[in-house]
Amino acid sequence: MPDESHDPARRSWIESANAPGCLFPIQNLPFGVFSRAGEMPRPGVAIGDEILDLAALERAGLLALDGAPVFAAPALDALMRRPRADWLAVRARLSGLLSAGEPALRDAHARDAMRVDRATARLHMPFTVAGFTDFYASREHATNVGTLFRGPEKALPPNWLHIPIGYNGRASSVVVSGTPVRRPLGQLKGAEDPAPRLGPCEKLDFELELGAIIGTASPMGQPITTAAAREAIFGYVLLNDWSARDIQMWEYQPLGPFQSKAFATSISPWIVTAAALEPFRVPGPEPALPLLPYLREDGSGNLDIELEVSLTPQGGAESVICRSNARGLYYSAAQQLAHHALGGCPMSSGDLLGSGTISGAGRGSEGSMLELTRNGAEPLRLADGTERRFLADGDRVALTGWCTGQGYRIGFGTCEGTVLPAAAPVW
């Protein structure tokens, strides 16, 4: 049965949602958490230039599910823990309530009581992060990085074409867009140095990623299929897994990244639901080698999401430094999740899976400074004439993403952060 919420002809009584180029039309309806001065944070949905207050809607009896209220807390956790059928029911109800001509919100007073100008709102972390795992799912990124450090003949590790490589990160340092990111301290050791030294990271980097947010938990000891994994994903955010490349090079063998990745991971504040992205599913790349049965995926597992990264120096002009697309990921989010659960790892509602850096094949599509500057060997020239090998203090990095439909766009908003100087040592 066709999903009416995807109908490109559907229009909203909120006029800004119908404007050409609007990133939050009625076909999108992403979830977030917001507040205004003096108010408690609460769930809302972005529509045009506004936010529809879901807590107010629920209190008015216009949005109800069986059982306890789901929008009374300052996070979307309660909704995410509900069955997938409830996610779809809430989306369908919101699409109906916001459609042009809908009588339930025809009263002007009722409308005004539940609408907030998005420009006046502060956005918060939309959910409680239960765990964070970062993958390495872009073949182009893995090849670029491998070539830099091992040469083209050994660019990909032997296991890369068989397994979605990942590592467990830190849930405690996942922050919402707009949170400043402090340059980390760490151990640094050059190739010719006899011993490491302590100091601020000198090769601070961003990583352009897509984050998948798990809604449906899986029990310990129970693998899941890629089909079940796909239905367990509540939605997606843009994700910047900030990286300290010099600290990483010294620490990562033999157990992988640690301090170099634990200091900050930024996510966009609006969760674009998996349901909203269904029209933009596309086949992934054909596997170069046969995958084991548990990783095989029927149909279109990838998402056609255009991605951009901009860098703005303190007091300088903004430069778009990367344009890429998530459709080229070698391993989809469902494959990453199925692999994560294969050995019996219990997956929790609120788990966040990062895709790893999303790079394309062409110059300028590389999703990190490491690749864009060839590890600093080829400086990047910005719009104001300054150069960057890696990120400087005061630099603002912003990730944006969108899908293009028939006469509308599905936007993710912005995932941004500004680099602060390293903390003063306390020893």
Side-chain angles (χ1 to χ4, degrees):
M1 179 181 296
D3 187 336
E4 293 182 354
S5 69
H6 297 148
D7 183 357
R10 179 166 284 206
R11 293 292 180 266
S12 174
W13 50 263
I14 294 181
E15 289 300 327
S16 60
N18 306 322
C22 173
L23 295 179
F24 300 121
I26 196 169
Q27 291 83 5
N28 191 348
L29 304 181
F31 291 100
V33 171
F34 76 99
S35 67
R36 292 180 298 182
E39 297 177 343
M40 293 295 294
R42 56 201 185 276
V45 64
I47 176 74
D49 295 335
E50 302 182 24
I51 299 172
L52 188 66
D53 187 334
L54 298 183
L57 206 64
E58 187 175 55
R59 287 195 302 272
L62 293 171
L63 186 64
L65 294 170
D66 293 337
V70 294
F71 299 117
L76 291 162
D77 302 3
L79 176 63
M80 290 165 50
R81 288 194 295 265
R82 303 280 299 206
R84 180 172 178 269
D86 287 353
W87 310 342
L88 299 178
V90 168
R91 173 176 166 78
R93 176 61 171 159
L94 290 171
S95 182
L97 287 170
L98 288 163
S99 293
E102 166 57 43
L105 283 177
R106 188 170 290 164
D107 178 77
H109 178 73
R111 288 184 176 188
D112 291 343
M114 298 174 186
R115 297 163 65 183
V116 173
D117 182 349
R118 197 153 42 86
T120 68
R122 177 187 175 188
L123 301 179
H124 303 266
M125 275 294 297
F127 70 105
T128 304
V129 182
F132 171 52
T133 304
D134 200 33
F135 284 87
Y136 196 39
S138 164
R139 184 173 182 177
E140 290 78 10
H141 171 66
T143 300
N144 291 340
V145 173
T147 299
L148 281 172
F149 297 110
R150 294 185 296 275
E153 297 80 11
K154 297 181 179 179
L156 290 180
N159 60 352
W160 200 94
L161 294 173
H162 298 276
I163 186 173
I165 297 173
Y167 69 91
N168 288 310
R170 291 289 300 170
S172 62
S173 54
V174 178
V175 295
V176 73
S177 172
T179 305
V181 173
R182 190 167 294 282
R183 183 180 298 273
L185 298 167
Q187 288 197 21
L188 313 173
K189 183 183 180 301
E192 307 303 322
D193 295 340
R197 59 187 172 84
L198 182 65
C201 166
E202 297 172 358
K203 291 186 173 183
L204 184 61
D205 204 352
F206 70 88
E207 289 189 342
L208 169 63
E209 302 193 27
L210 189 66
I213 299 167
I214 308 308
T216 305
S218 62
M220 188 171 182
Q222 182 61 55
I224 60 176
T225 65
T226 54
R230 178 167 159 175
E231 295 200 345
I233 296 172
F234 178 74
Y236 295 82
V237 291
L238 302 178
L239 186 151
N240 180 356
D241 194 32
W242 303 82
S243 298
R245 300 298 185 187
D246 42 2
I247 297 172
Q248 182 177 356
M249 286 304 298
W250 171 235
E251 74 173 4
Y252 85 104
Q253 294 182 358
L255 297 181
F258 185 52
Q259 295 289 352
S260 58
K261 297 280 192 170
F263 61 99
T265 300
S266 301
I267 64 168
S268 51
W270 295 107
I271 302 175
V272 178
T273 62
L277 294 172
E278 278 298 314
F280 305 99
R281 290 202 167 273
V282 292
E286 188 69 25
L289 296 173
L291 295 173
L292 292 172
Y294 79 98
L295 286 174
R296 294 173 192 163
E297 192 171 17
D298 294 332
S300 300
N302 279 17
L303 294 166
D304 185 6
I305 304 172
E306 295 287 346
L307 299 164
E308 280 189 357
V309 181
S310 67
L311 194 160
T312 307
Q314 187 172 17
E318 182 180 37
S319 301
V320 175
I321 59 174
C322 167
R323 291 185 173 92
S324 190
N325 193 299
R327 69 182 301 153
L329 286 171
Y330 194 85
Y331 294 107
S332 71
Q335 289 172 311
Q336 295 163 37
L337 177 53
H339 180 65
H340 206 321
L342 176 67
C345 174
M347 303 305 297
S348 300
S349 183
D351 276 341
L352 174 64
L353 306 185
S355 63
T357 303
I358 302 173
S359 296
R363 200 74 171 99
S365 66
E366 302 97 327
S368 67
M369 295 292 284
L370 178 68
E371 299 164 84
L372 286 165
T373 70
R374 304 297 188 260
N375 195 24
E378 301 176 14
L380 191 67
R381 183 171 293 276
L382 304 181
D384 61 4
T386 58
E387 293 185 340
R388 288 289 185 276
R389 287 177 167 82
F390 288 92
L391 299 176
D393 291 348
D395 283 351
R396 171 184 174 272
V397 178
L399 280 53
T400 53
W402 64 91
C403 305
T404 302
Q406 297 179 0
Y408 69 94
R409 283 186 168 188
I410 299 292
F412 284 76
T414 303
C415 175
E416 65 177 76
T418 299
V419 179
L420 299 179
V426 294
W427 46 88

